[in-house]
Amino acid sequence: MIPRYTHPDMGRVWSDQRRYETWLLVETAAAEAMAAAGIVPADAARDIRERGAFDIARIEEIEQVTQHDVIAFTTAVAEKVGPSARWMHFGMTSSDVIDTAQALQMREACDILLKDLDALAAAIRERAFEHRMTPMIGRTHGVHAEPMTLGLKLALWYAEVTRNIDRLQRARAVVSVGKLSGAVGTFAHLPPSIEADVCRRLGLHPAPVASQVVQRDRHAELLSALAITAASLEKFALEIRGLQKTEIGEIEEPFAKGQKGSSAMPHKRNPIGCEQIVGLARLLRANAGAAFENNALWHERDISHSSVERVILPDSFIALDHMLRRFTRIVSGMVVYPERMRENLARSNGVVFSGTVLLELARRDISREQAYEWVQRNAMRAFNEQRDFKALLLADADVTRVLAPAEIERAFDLDEQLKHVDHIFERVFPVSAGVARNQEVTV
């Protein structure tokens, strides 16, 4: 399912080729660290560095017999290295290689996702400034609430994307650890200095303490960060889907020339990209749940986590890479209908300014309860009779006894409603918010 959409960079990170390359990196770094410490001969480390290679078909052939992937790997590499291979994997256990190498893969995959997130943030920022003062109705419970702008909606997305960037950077650091502490983490066969040197060579940090494996709370944190990022994309995509409904028609995901929406209905333009993102987010949440389950292993280690990680790590990274790239294209090509937004804003006959009228009455020594009653009765008439809310207020003796006509008119001023948009943009985009200043609200 997922590989069809795999970007070459992310697909390479999780390929068998890259997995064995990282294993060989760890084995080579370990041999060189041990040679520097006088544990293994220097010429053996040199041979492992210069002759170390593998053939995937040969590894798979050996594994058919050994039923052990690391032994199959070391055997296949030993055939290339020659006699010096007896010093390869010296004093190490399989998880020393697997977990340290997997940290390299996860770090590499995180870097790709961070670039994806930067690209998405840039696309959202551009559209946010484009529509900084494009007015639309805000909705709570799916019902018209008060006016806002499309730019504010996009600024909210941008702020959430930056939190996901921070979250992923933290998770990247958490999983960027290696271990060469042996079968139960006691350094029985190699001193801690070797682990420290190997991790230094690979750009990792040594796990302060480990069992046979690096502890899987780290991996759970990473998968949680991926799942939360996917949930953010789901939220954004769901909003576009809602605003693309025929009855609303304010935003539409791009629809390419020649694209078909339905085999039966030629008129259809469906938000299939956003729907796909919503669906894939479910997969990442499920994978994060599996990562939580992987944390509890018997004693110092079992392998119940191993089979799970072979699925959830590549699938989660590959799926999220696709989701980020696709949603960036959706945002960049998103079609906006400001005129439809204006129509929808006016559809509720002005009742969306009821809160301002309520406050104006309260400022003039009318109790909140009394003011609420006056405003609500006119709002309900506007709903039920399809009347203009402002006209009803201007005809209400109770209201006009307190508010002059000009004061009622001012309560319906859209510019007044949106007067703090610039301030919000300066908080979300502190460096460059001023570039879009002084644009007029057009209704």
PDB file of all heavy atoms in Angstrom, residues 357 360-361 364 366 370-371 374-375 377-378 389-409 412:
ATOM      1  N   VAL A 357     -23.028  43.639  20.256  1.00  0.00           N
ATOM      2  CA  VAL A 357     -24.196  44.391  20.724  1.00  0.00           C
ATOM      3  C   VAL A 357     -24.417  44.137  22.215  1.00  0.00           C
ATOM      4  O   VAL A 357     -24.706  45.069  22.988  1.00  0.00           O
ATOM      5  CB  VAL A 357     -25.446  44.008  19.905  1.00  0.00           C
ATOM      6  CG1 VAL A 357     -26.667  44.755  20.424  1.00  0.00           C
ATOM      7  CG2 VAL A 357     -25.232  44.290  18.429  1.00  0.00           C
ATOM      8  N   GLU A 360     -21.993  46.200  24.182  1.00  0.00           N
ATOM      9  CA  GLU A 360     -22.315  47.625  24.140  1.00  0.00           C
ATOM     10  C   GLU A 360     -23.436  47.959  25.123  1.00  0.00           C
ATOM     11  O   GLU A 360     -23.410  48.993  25.802  1.00  0.00           O
ATOM     12  CB  GLU A 360     -22.708  48.037  22.719  1.00  0.00           C
ATOM     13  CG  GLU A 360     -21.562  48.064  21.728  1.00  0.00           C
ATOM     14  CD  GLU A 360     -20.454  49.012  22.160  1.00  0.00           C
ATOM     15  OE1 GLU A 360     -20.755  50.162  22.565  1.00  0.00           O
ATOM     16  OE2 GLU A 360     -19.273  48.598  22.117  1.00  0.00           O
ATOM     17  N   LEU A 361     -24.434  47.101  25.226  1.00  0.00           N
ATOM     18  CA  LEU A 361     -25.511  47.313  26.187  1.00  0.00           C
ATOM     19  C   LEU A 361     -24.994  47.197  27.617  1.00  0.00           C
ATOM     20  O   LEU A 361     -25.358  47.987  28.494  1.00  0.00           O
ATOM     21  CB  LEU A 361     -26.635  46.311  25.938  1.00  0.00           C
ATOM     22  CG  LEU A 361     -27.460  46.522  24.658  1.00  0.00           C
ATOM     23  CD1 LEU A 361     -28.343  45.308  24.379  1.00  0.00           C
ATOM     24  CD2 LEU A 361     -28.324  47.785  24.786  1.00  0.00           C
ATOM     25  N   ARG A 364     -23.421  50.147  29.262  1.00  0.00           N
ATOM     26  CA  ARG A 364     -24.309  51.268  29.591  1.00  0.00           C
ATOM     27  C   ARG A 364     -25.257  50.930  30.744  1.00  0.00           C
ATOM     28  O   ARG A 364     -26.433  51.296  30.742  1.00  0.00           O
ATOM     29  CB  ARG A 364     -25.066  51.690  28.339  1.00  0.00           C
ATOM     30  CG  ARG A 364     -24.134  52.404  27.343  1.00  0.00           C
ATOM     31  CD  ARG A 364     -24.650  52.394  25.934  1.00  0.00           C
ATOM     32  NE  ARG A 364     -23.755  53.106  25.030  1.00  0.00           N
ATOM     33  CZ  ARG A 364     -22.658  52.592  24.488  1.00  0.00           C
ATOM     34  NH1 ARG A 364     -22.293  51.353  24.802  1.00  0.00           N
ATOM     35  NH2 ARG A 364     -21.916  53.307  23.673  1.00  0.00           N
ATOM     36  N   ILE A 366     -26.738  48.270  31.678  1.00  0.00           N
ATOM     37  CA  ILE A 366     -27.797  47.273  31.530  1.00  0.00           C
ATOM     38  C   ILE A 366     -27.231  45.951  32.035  1.00  0.00           C
ATOM     39  O   ILE A 366     -26.114  45.561  31.669  1.00  0.00           O
ATOM     40  CB  ILE A 366     -28.250  47.153  30.058  1.00  0.00           C
ATOM     41  CG1 ILE A 366     -28.695  48.498  29.512  1.00  0.00           C
ATOM     42  CG2 ILE A 366     -29.351  46.102  29.920  1.00  0.00           C
ATOM     43  CD1 ILE A 366     -29.861  49.098  30.257  1.00  0.00           C
ATOM     44  N   GLN A 370     -30.388  41.116  31.296  1.00  0.00           N
ATOM     45  CA  GLN A 370     -31.362  41.891  30.539  1.00  0.00           C
ATOM     46  C   GLN A 370     -30.889  42.129  29.107  1.00  0.00           C
ATOM     47  O   GLN A 370     -31.649  41.977  28.142  1.00  0.00           O
ATOM     48  CB  GLN A 370     -31.605  43.233  31.219  1.00  0.00           C
ATOM     49  CG  GLN A 370     -32.688  44.087  30.552  1.00  0.00           C
ATOM     50  CD  GLN A 370     -34.046  43.445  30.583  1.00  0.00           C
ATOM     51  OE1 GLN A 370     -34.719  43.461  31.606  1.00  0.00           O
ATOM     52  NE2 GLN A 370     -34.468  42.841  29.479  1.00  0.00           N
ATOM     53  N   ALA A 371     -29.607  42.509  28.997  1.00  0.00           N
ATOM     54  CA  ALA A 371     -29.058  42.736  27.658  1.00  0.00           C
ATOM     55  C   ALA A 371     -29.118  41.473  26.819  1.00  0.00           C
ATOM     56  O   ALA A 371     -29.460  41.512  25.620  1.00  0.00           O
ATOM     57  CB  ALA A 371     -27.616  43.242  27.774  1.00  0.00           C
ATOM     58  N   TRP A 374     -32.643  40.950  25.449  1.00  0.00           N
ATOM     59  CA  TRP A 374     -32.989  41.822  24.330  1.00  0.00           C
ATOM     60  C   TRP A 374     -32.303  41.381  23.032  1.00  0.00           C
ATOM     61  O   TRP A 374     -32.923  41.352  21.970  1.00  0.00           O
ATOM     62  CB  TRP A 374     -32.572  43.260  24.637  1.00  0.00           C
ATOM     63  CG  TRP A 374     -33.331  43.900  25.757  1.00  0.00           C
ATOM     64  CD1 TRP A 374     -34.457  43.446  26.366  1.00  0.00           C
ATOM     65  CD2 TRP A 374     -32.995  45.132  26.401  1.00  0.00           C
ATOM     66  NE1 TRP A 374     -34.852  44.294  27.364  1.00  0.00           N
ATOM     67  CE2 TRP A 374     -33.968  45.365  27.402  1.00  0.00           C
ATOM     68  CE3 TRP A 374     -31.970  46.065  26.252  1.00  0.00           C
ATOM     69  CZ2 TRP A 374     -33.964  46.480  28.234  1.00  0.00           C
ATOM     70  CZ3 TRP A 374     -31.956  47.187  27.065  1.00  0.00           C
ATOM     71  CH2 TRP A 374     -32.934  47.392  28.050  1.00  0.00           C
ATOM     72  N   VAL A 375     -31.040  41.077  23.142  1.00  0.00           N
ATOM     73  CA  VAL A 375     -30.292  40.694  21.939  1.00  0.00           C
ATOM     74  C   VAL A 375     -30.767  39.352  21.419  1.00  0.00           C
ATOM     75  O   VAL A 375     -30.970  39.165  20.211  1.00  0.00           O
ATOM     76  CB  VAL A 375     -28.776  40.662  22.237  1.00  0.00           C
ATOM     77  CG1 VAL A 375     -28.006  40.136  21.026  1.00  0.00           C
ATOM     78  CG2 VAL A 375     -28.265  42.039  22.612  1.00  0.00           C
ATOM     79  N   ARG A 377     -33.678  37.827  21.704  1.00  0.00           N
ATOM     80  CA  ARG A 377     -35.008  37.793  21.092  1.00  0.00           C
ATOM     81  C   ARG A 377     -34.972  38.326  19.662  1.00  0.00           C
ATOM     82  O   ARG A 377     -35.673  37.835  18.773  1.00  0.00           O
ATOM     83  CB  ARG A 377     -36.003  38.561  21.952  1.00  0.00           C
ATOM     84  CG  ARG A 377     -35.933  40.069  21.882  1.00  0.00           C
ATOM     85  CD  ARG A 377     -36.831  40.717  22.911  1.00  0.00           C
ATOM     86  NE  ARG A 377     -36.746  42.177  22.848  1.00  0.00           N
ATOM     87  CZ  ARG A 377     -37.081  42.981  23.849  1.00  0.00           C
ATOM     88  NH1 ARG A 377     -37.511  42.459  25.006  1.00  0.00           N
ATOM     89  NH2 ARG A 377     -36.994  44.295  23.713  1.00  0.00           N
ATOM     90  N   ASN A 378     -34.128  39.317  19.427  1.00  0.00           N
ATOM     91  CA  ASN A 378     -33.984  39.824  18.066  1.00  0.00           C
ATOM     92  C   ASN A 378     -33.214  38.854  17.176  1.00  0.00           C
ATOM     93  O   ASN A 378     -33.526  38.709  15.988  1.00  0.00           O
ATOM     94  CB  ASN A 378     -33.298  41.190  18.093  1.00  0.00           C
ATOM     95  CG  ASN A 378     -34.216  42.289  18.571  1.00  0.00           C
ATOM     96  OD1 ASN A 378     -35.123  42.706  17.848  1.00  0.00           O
ATOM     97  ND2 ASN A 378     -34.003  42.759  19.802  1.00  0.00           N
ATOM     98  N   PHE A 389     -30.881  41.316  11.224  1.00  0.00           N
ATOM     99  CA  PHE A 389     -30.698  41.482  12.662  1.00  0.00           C
ATOM    100  C   PHE A 389     -30.514  42.954  13.039  1.00  0.00           C
ATOM    101  O   PHE A 389     -31.112  43.450  14.005  1.00  0.00           O
ATOM    102  CB  PHE A 389     -29.493  40.643  13.102  1.00  0.00           C
ATOM    103  CG  PHE A 389     -29.156  40.718  14.561  1.00  0.00           C
ATOM    104  CD1 PHE A 389     -30.102  40.446  15.529  1.00  0.00           C
ATOM    105  CD2 PHE A 389     -27.860  41.053  14.969  1.00  0.00           C
ATOM    106  CE1 PHE A 389     -29.776  40.503  16.890  1.00  0.00           C
ATOM    107  CE2 PHE A 389     -27.529  41.095  16.319  1.00  0.00           C
ATOM    108  CZ  PHE A 389     -28.497  40.826  17.277  1.00  0.00           C
ATOM    109  N   LYS A 390     -29.716  43.664  12.274  1.00  0.00           N
ATOM    110  CA  LYS A 390     -29.470  45.071  12.599  1.00  0.00           C
ATOM    111  C   LYS A 390     -30.750  45.892  12.487  1.00  0.00           C
ATOM    112  O   LYS A 390     -31.026  46.748  13.341  1.00  0.00           O
ATOM    113  CB  LYS A 390     -28.387  45.631  11.681  1.00  0.00           C
ATOM    114  CG  LYS A 390     -28.027  47.078  11.978  1.00  0.00           C
ATOM    115  CD  LYS A 390     -26.743  47.501  11.283  1.00  0.00           C
ATOM    116  CE  LYS A 390     -26.865  47.438   9.779  1.00  0.00           C
ATOM    117  NZ  LYS A 390     -25.641  47.949   9.113  1.00  0.00           N
ATOM    118  N   ALA A 391     -31.551  45.630  11.466  1.00  0.00           N
ATOM    119  CA  ALA A 391     -32.811  46.346  11.309  1.00  0.00           C
ATOM    120  C   ALA A 391     -33.757  46.072  12.471  1.00  0.00           C
ATOM    121  O   ALA A 391     -34.467  46.981  12.945  1.00  0.00           O
ATOM    122  CB  ALA A 391     -33.467  45.945   9.991  1.00  0.00           C
ATOM    123  N   LEU A 392     -33.779  44.829  12.940  1.00  0.00           N
ATOM    124  CA  LEU A 392     -34.614  44.492  14.087  1.00  0.00           C
ATOM    125  C   LEU A 392     -34.163  45.243  15.331  1.00  0.00           C
ATOM    126  O   LEU A 392     -34.993  45.732  16.124  1.00  0.00           O
ATOM    127  CB  LEU A 392     -34.580  42.988  14.333  1.00  0.00           C
ATOM    128  CG  LEU A 392     -35.301  42.120  13.294  1.00  0.00           C
ATOM    129  CD1 LEU A 392     -34.983  40.644  13.529  1.00  0.00           C
ATOM    130  CD2 LEU A 392     -36.805  42.355  13.335  1.00  0.00           C
ATOM    131  N   LEU A 393     -32.856  45.342  15.542  1.00  0.00           N
ATOM    132  CA  LEU A 393     -32.344  46.079  16.695  1.00  0.00           C
ATOM    133  C   LEU A 393     -32.707  47.563  16.612  1.00  0.00           C
ATOM    134  O   LEU A 393     -33.087  48.184  17.625  1.00  0.00           O
ATOM    135  CB  LEU A 393     -30.824  45.926  16.788  1.00  0.00           C
ATOM    136  CG  LEU A 393     -30.295  44.536  17.163  1.00  0.00           C
ATOM    137  CD1 LEU A 393     -28.774  44.507  16.991  1.00  0.00           C
ATOM    138  CD2 LEU A 393     -30.653  44.159  18.589  1.00  0.00           C
ATOM    139  N   LEU A 394     -32.597  48.130  15.419  1.00  0.00           N
ATOM    140  CA  LEU A 394     -32.911  49.540  15.241  1.00  0.00           C
ATOM    141  C   LEU A 394     -34.388  49.833  15.458  1.00  0.00           C
ATOM    142  O   LEU A 394     -34.774  50.984  15.742  1.00  0.00           O
ATOM    143  CB  LEU A 394     -32.485  50.001  13.838  1.00  0.00           C
ATOM    144  CG  LEU A 394     -30.976  50.098  13.611  1.00  0.00           C
ATOM    145  CD1 LEU A 394     -30.656  50.265  12.132  1.00  0.00           C
ATOM    146  CD2 LEU A 394     -30.387  51.265  14.416  1.00  0.00           C
ATOM    147  N   ALA A 395     -35.206  48.767  15.348  1.00  0.00           N
ATOM    148  CA  ALA A 395     -36.647  48.930  15.564  1.00  0.00           C
ATOM    149  C   ALA A 395     -37.077  48.526  16.968  1.00  0.00           C
ATOM    150  O   ALA A 395     -38.274  48.605  17.292  1.00  0.00           O
ATOM    151  CB  ALA A 395     -37.416  48.117  14.520  1.00  0.00           C
ATOM    152  N   ASP A 396     -36.146  48.087  17.784  1.00  0.00           N
ATOM    153  CA  ASP A 396     -36.467  47.621  19.140  1.00  0.00           C
ATOM    154  C   ASP A 396     -36.343  48.792  20.111  1.00  0.00           C
ATOM    155  O   ASP A 396     -35.254  49.346  20.315  1.00  0.00           O
ATOM    156  CB  ASP A 396     -35.510  46.498  19.529  1.00  0.00           C
ATOM    157  CG  ASP A 396     -35.886  45.817  20.829  1.00  0.00           C
ATOM    158  OD1 ASP A 396     -36.028  46.534  21.843  1.00  0.00           O
ATOM    159  OD2 ASP A 396     -36.012  44.570  20.833  1.00  0.00           O
ATOM    160  N   ALA A 397     -37.455  49.175  20.737  1.00  0.00           N
ATOM    161  CA  ALA A 397     -37.473  50.346  21.611  1.00  0.00           C
ATOM    162  C   ALA A 397     -36.570  50.175  22.814  1.00  0.00           C
ATOM    163  O   ALA A 397     -35.934  51.146  23.270  1.00  0.00           O
ATOM    164  CB  ALA A 397     -38.910  50.632  22.061  1.00  0.00           C
ATOM    165  N   ASP A 398     -36.502  48.956  23.354  1.00  0.00           N
ATOM    166  CA  ASP A 398     -35.627  48.736  24.507  1.00  0.00           C
ATOM    167  C   ASP A 398     -34.172  49.003  24.146  1.00  0.00           C
ATOM    168  O   ASP A 398     -33.424  49.624  24.905  1.00  0.00           O
ATOM    169  CB  ASP A 398     -35.780  47.307  25.020  1.00  0.00           C
ATOM    170  CG  ASP A 398     -37.104  47.072  25.722  1.00  0.00           C
ATOM    171  OD1 ASP A 398     -37.628  48.020  26.321  1.00  0.00           O
ATOM    172  OD2 ASP A 398     -37.600  45.929  25.663  1.00  0.00           O
ATOM    173  N   VAL A 399     -33.767  48.499  22.986  1.00  0.00           N
ATOM    174  CA  VAL A 399     -32.376  48.653  22.563  1.00  0.00           C
ATOM    175  C   VAL A 399     -32.064  50.104  22.219  1.00  0.00           C
ATOM    176  O   VAL A 399     -31.042  50.666  22.652  1.00  0.00           O
ATOM    177  CB  VAL A 399     -32.068  47.729  21.370  1.00  0.00           C
ATOM    178  CG1 VAL A 399     -30.652  47.975  20.836  1.00  0.00           C
ATOM    179  CG2 VAL A 399     -32.232  46.266  21.750  1.00  0.00           C
ATOM    180  N   THR A 400     -32.931  50.741  21.429  1.00  0.00           N
ATOM    181  CA  THR A 400     -32.656  52.113  20.994  1.00  0.00           C
ATOM    182  C   THR A 400     -32.776  53.117  22.131  1.00  0.00           C
ATOM    183  O   THR A 400     -32.268  54.243  22.023  1.00  0.00           O
ATOM    184  CB  THR A 400     -33.597  52.511  19.842  1.00  0.00           C
ATOM    185  OG1 THR A 400     -34.961  52.330  20.261  1.00  0.00           O
ATOM    186  CG2 THR A 400     -33.320  51.655  18.606  1.00  0.00           C
ATOM    187  N   ARG A 401     -33.455  52.739  23.224  1.00  0.00           N
ATOM    188  CA  ARG A 401     -33.494  53.605  24.397  1.00  0.00           C
ATOM    189  C   ARG A 401     -32.099  53.741  25.019  1.00  0.00           C
ATOM    190  O   ARG A 401     -31.777  54.736  25.657  1.00  0.00           O
ATOM    191  CB  ARG A 401     -34.477  53.039  25.419  1.00  0.00           C
ATOM    192  CG  ARG A 401     -34.532  53.787  26.739  1.00  0.00           C
ATOM    193  CD  ARG A 401     -35.702  53.308  27.597  1.00  0.00           C
ATOM    194  NE  ARG A 401     -35.709  51.867  27.769  1.00  0.00           N
ATOM    195  CZ  ARG A 401     -34.994  51.213  28.675  1.00  0.00           C
ATOM    196  NH1 ARG A 401     -34.174  51.885  29.477  1.00  0.00           N
ATOM    197  NH2 ARG A 401     -35.085  49.897  28.788  1.00  0.00           N
ATOM    198  N   VAL A 402     -31.256  52.708  24.778  1.00  0.00           N
ATOM    199  CA  VAL A 402     -29.920  52.680  25.375  1.00  0.00           C
ATOM    200  C   VAL A 402     -28.835  53.016  24.358  1.00  0.00           C
ATOM    201  O   VAL A 402     -27.867  53.719  24.661  1.00  0.00           O
ATOM    202  CB  VAL A 402     -29.656  51.299  26.001  1.00  0.00           C
ATOM    203  CG1 VAL A 402     -28.267  51.233  26.618  1.00  0.00           C
ATOM    204  CG2 VAL A 402     -30.723  50.969  27.036  1.00  0.00           C
ATOM    205  N   LEU A 403     -28.978  52.494  23.153  1.00  0.00           N
ATOM    206  CA  LEU A 403     -27.967  52.676  22.109  1.00  0.00           C
ATOM    207  C   LEU A 403     -28.500  53.560  20.994  1.00  0.00           C
ATOM    208  O   LEU A 403     -29.607  53.334  20.478  1.00  0.00           O
ATOM    209  CB  LEU A 403     -27.546  51.324  21.522  1.00  0.00           C
ATOM    210  CG  LEU A 403     -26.834  50.339  22.449  1.00  0.00           C
ATOM    211  CD1 LEU A 403     -26.545  49.029  21.704  1.00  0.00           C
ATOM    212  CD2 LEU A 403     -25.547  50.922  23.006  1.00  0.00           C
ATOM    213  N   ALA A 404     -27.701  54.540  20.606  1.00  0.00           N
ATOM    214  CA  ALA A 404     -28.055  55.368  19.462  1.00  0.00           C
ATOM    215  C   ALA A 404     -27.872  54.567  18.177  1.00  0.00           C
ATOM    216  O   ALA A 404     -27.093  53.605  18.136  1.00  0.00           O
ATOM    217  CB  ALA A 404     -27.168  56.609  19.437  1.00  0.00           C
ATOM    218  N   PRO A 405     -28.565  54.947  17.101  1.00  0.00           N
ATOM    219  CA  PRO A 405     -28.406  54.231  15.828  1.00  0.00           C
ATOM    220  C   PRO A 405     -26.953  54.121  15.378  1.00  0.00           C
ATOM    221  O   PRO A 405     -26.528  53.080  14.876  1.00  0.00           O
ATOM    222  CB  PRO A 405     -29.250  55.065  14.849  1.00  0.00           C
ATOM    223  CG  PRO A 405     -30.303  55.677  15.710  1.00  0.00           C
ATOM    224  CD  PRO A 405     -29.625  55.971  17.029  1.00  0.00           C
ATOM    225  N   ALA A 406     -26.181  55.172  15.558  1.00  0.00           N
ATOM    226  CA  ALA A 406     -24.768  55.119  15.144  1.00  0.00           C
ATOM    227  C   ALA A 406     -23.986  54.102  15.966  1.00  0.00           C
ATOM    228  O   ALA A 406     -23.071  53.438  15.450  1.00  0.00           O
ATOM    229  CB  ALA A 406     -24.143  56.506  15.286  1.00  0.00           C
ATOM    230  N   GLU A 407     -24.356  53.949  17.226  1.00  0.00           N
ATOM    231  CA  GLU A 407     -23.681  52.971  18.082  1.00  0.00           C
ATOM    232  C   GLU A 407     -24.039  51.547  17.678  1.00  0.00           C
ATOM    233  O   GLU A 407     -23.194  50.638  17.734  1.00  0.00           O
ATOM    234  CB  GLU A 407     -24.046  53.220  19.544  1.00  0.00           C
ATOM    235  CG  GLU A 407     -23.472  54.535  20.070  1.00  0.00           C
ATOM    236  CD  GLU A 407     -24.014  54.906  21.431  1.00  0.00           C
ATOM    237  OE1 GLU A 407     -25.190  54.563  21.734  1.00  0.00           O
ATOM    238  OE2 GLU A 407     -23.268  55.536  22.204  1.00  0.00           O
ATOM    239  N   ILE A 408     -25.279  51.358  17.252  1.00  0.00           N
ATOM    240  CA  ILE A 408     -25.683  50.035  16.756  1.00  0.00           C
ATOM    241  C   ILE A 408     -24.949  49.735  15.459  1.00  0.00           C
ATOM    242  O   ILE A 408     -24.441  48.623  15.247  1.00  0.00           O
ATOM    243  CB  ILE A 408     -27.212  49.989  16.555  1.00  0.00           C
ATOM    244  CG1 ILE A 408     -27.922  50.116  17.914  1.00  0.00           C
ATOM    245  CG2 ILE A 408     -27.616  48.684  15.857  1.00  0.00           C
ATOM    246  CD1 ILE A 408     -29.438  50.216  17.810  1.00  0.00           C
ATOM    247  N   GLU A 409     -24.871  50.724  14.579  1.00  0.00           N
ATOM    248  CA  GLU A 409     -24.145  50.539  13.318  1.00  0.00           C
ATOM    249  C   GLU A 409     -22.692  50.155  13.585  1.00  0.00           C
ATOM    250  O   GLU A 409     -22.138  49.271  12.930  1.00  0.00           O
ATOM    251  CB  GLU A 409     -24.192  51.840  12.501  1.00  0.00           C
ATOM    252  CG  GLU A 409     -25.546  52.171  11.897  1.00  0.00           C
ATOM    253  CD  GLU A 409     -25.847  51.352  10.654  1.00  0.00           C
ATOM    254  OE1 GLU A 409     -24.941  50.663  10.153  1.00  0.00           O
ATOM    255  OE2 GLU A 409     -27.007  51.402  10.180  1.00  0.00           O
ATOM    256  N   PHE A 412     -21.583  46.602  14.152  1.00  0.00           N
ATOM    257  CA  PHE A 412     -21.533  45.705  12.993  1.00  0.00           C
ATOM    258  C   PHE A 412     -20.326  46.012  12.101  1.00  0.00           C
ATOM    259  O   PHE A 412     -20.274  45.573  10.953  1.00  0.00           O
ATOM    260  CB  PHE A 412     -22.825  45.843  12.177  1.00  0.00           C
ATOM    261  CG  PHE A 412     -24.020  45.210  12.844  1.00  0.00           C
ATOM    262  CD1 PHE A 412     -24.661  45.842  13.911  1.00  0.00           C
ATOM    263  CD2 PHE A 412     -24.500  43.986  12.423  1.00  0.00           C
ATOM    264  CE1 PHE A 412     -25.757  45.262  14.537  1.00  0.00           C
ATOM    265  CE2 PHE A 412     -25.597  43.389  13.039  1.00  0.00           C
ATOM    266  CZ  PHE A 412     -26.226  44.034  14.102  1.00  0.00           C
TER     267      PHE A 412
END
